[in-house]
Amino acid sequence: MVTPTLRVTGLTKSFGHLRVVDEIDLVVSPGEAVGIVGPNGAGKTTLLSLVAGDLQPDAGVIFFEGRDLRGQSADRRCRLGLARTAQVPRPFEAMSVFENVLVGAVFGASPPRTERAALGEAVAALDRTGLAAAAGRTAGSLGLLDRKRLELARALATSPRLLLLDEIAGGLTDAEVEELVVTVRAIRAEGIAVVWIEHVVHALLSVVDRMVAMSFGVKIADGDPEEVMSSPVVQEVYLGSIPT
């Protein structure tokens, strides 16, 4: 039996009296891409933050490749092979694009890389995300699409086996979304598992194997992407109406 890349059981998180993630179960197989949809406030980003280690759950367990992540910090999880992109890119703006990616290559890997190996990983990550030509530019000079690419490149430089994407297509034009989708497809082809939260549903539908829908912290659907999105329950909760 193949060990899942990610297994989440009974994951729960509250802020005060508001339960934001409510006993979520989720399994992601090696190389699988899973999309997560839901209205604002559904608990999607909180779920990702719990998996990444940026927040600690009130209850539940997270296993990464069979390893219990309880007590593991976000930076330790990254070095174990679990990387995340931020919903709002926040690069080191005064540093070059290459230097930003090198930070991931140097500090996000375990065991520590040699200088030569880290440089090679940074160059490879820039190539994979289409940023090689911008390597010498300051990160603060980048437009939104390239800032999103930089988030991806910095995550890839850590050599992840699970990549958590938080609304990476948000704010982009349709043409820019398609460019990004091509990049994510190529990452998938390398065998990296992906969990992708997104409001740009057509981007998810062109990449993911499975779709999960959330509402008020509860998982309301999990299965084939087209079937999930056409489900009356998801239509009502996520889209706001049921087609007649």
Side-chain angles (χ1 to χ4, degrees):
M1 184 170 134
V2 177
T3 300
T5 296
L6 177 70
R7 180 162 64 86
V8 170
T9 304
L11 206 61
T12 300
K13 180 67 177 179
S14 297
F15 296 105
H17 296 295
L18 179 63
R19 181 167 288 192
V20 179
V21 173
D22 192 356
E23 297 186 1
I24 291 288
D25 295 338
L26 178 66
V27 175
V28 180
S29 300
E32 185 180 25
V34 177
I36 302 181
V37 296
N40 290 330
K44 306 181 301 296
T45 293
T46 300
L47 173 61
L48 230 61
S49 296
L50 292 168
V51 173
D54 298 312
L55 293 173
Q56 295 302 311
D58 300 325
V61 186
I62 303 166
F63 290 92
F64 175 64
E65 297 180 335
R67 179 172 187 156
D68 188 341
L69 293 182
R70 277 178 291 193
Q72 300 287 349
S73 62
D75 61 301
R76 176 60 179 158
R77 295 183 195 198
C78 179
R79 289 192 291 272
L80 288 172
L82 195 163
R84 177 189 183 175
T85 66
Q87 185 174 337
V88 178
R90 292 188 179 90
F92 300 108
E93 297 205 354
M95 294 167 58
S96 72
V97 168
F98 179 77
E99 289 167 336
N100 268 269
V101 178
L102 188 59
V103 168
V106 170
F107 297 105
S110 181
R113 294 180 171 128
T114 64
E115 180 180 352
R116 181 174 181 177
L119 289 169
E121 287 292 340
V123 169
L126 289 171
D127 285 338
R128 291 152 78 191
T129 54
L131 279 177
R137 291 178 56 184
T138 58
S141 71
L142 298 179
L144 182 58
L145 175 60
D146 282 343
R147 283 176 175 251
K148 303 270 189 174
R149 290 186 183 279
L150 181 53
E151 280 288 303
L152 265 179
R154 192 160 52 181
L156 290 174
T158 69
S159 298
R161 295 180 299 283
L162 174 62
L163 185 59
L164 307 176
L165 305 179
D166 190 356
E167 295 192 31
I168 197 165
L172 301 179
T173 67
D174 287 345
E176 289 171 335
V177 168
E178 184 52 38
E179 285 186 49
L180 202 61
V181 162
V182 170
T183 301
V184 177
R185 282 200 198 109
I187 292 167
R188 280 218 55 214
E190 298 173 16
I192 298 172
V194 175
V195 176
W196 186 357
I197 289 173
E198 192 56 71
H199 283 296
V200 185
V201 175
H202 66 84
L204 290 180
L205 291 174
S206 65
V207 173
V208 302
D209 305 298
R210 206 170 93 240
M211 195 81 87
V212 171
M214 294 178 62
S215 178
F216 294 107
V218 176
K219 184 169 71 173
I220 59 172
D222 185 344
D224 175 81
E226 297 284 355
E227 291 179 5
V228 166
M229 292 312 301
S230 62
S231 158
V233 173
V234 174
Q235 293 268 323
E236 182 179 24
V237 169
Y238 184 60
L239 302 177
S241 64
I242 303 175
T244 57

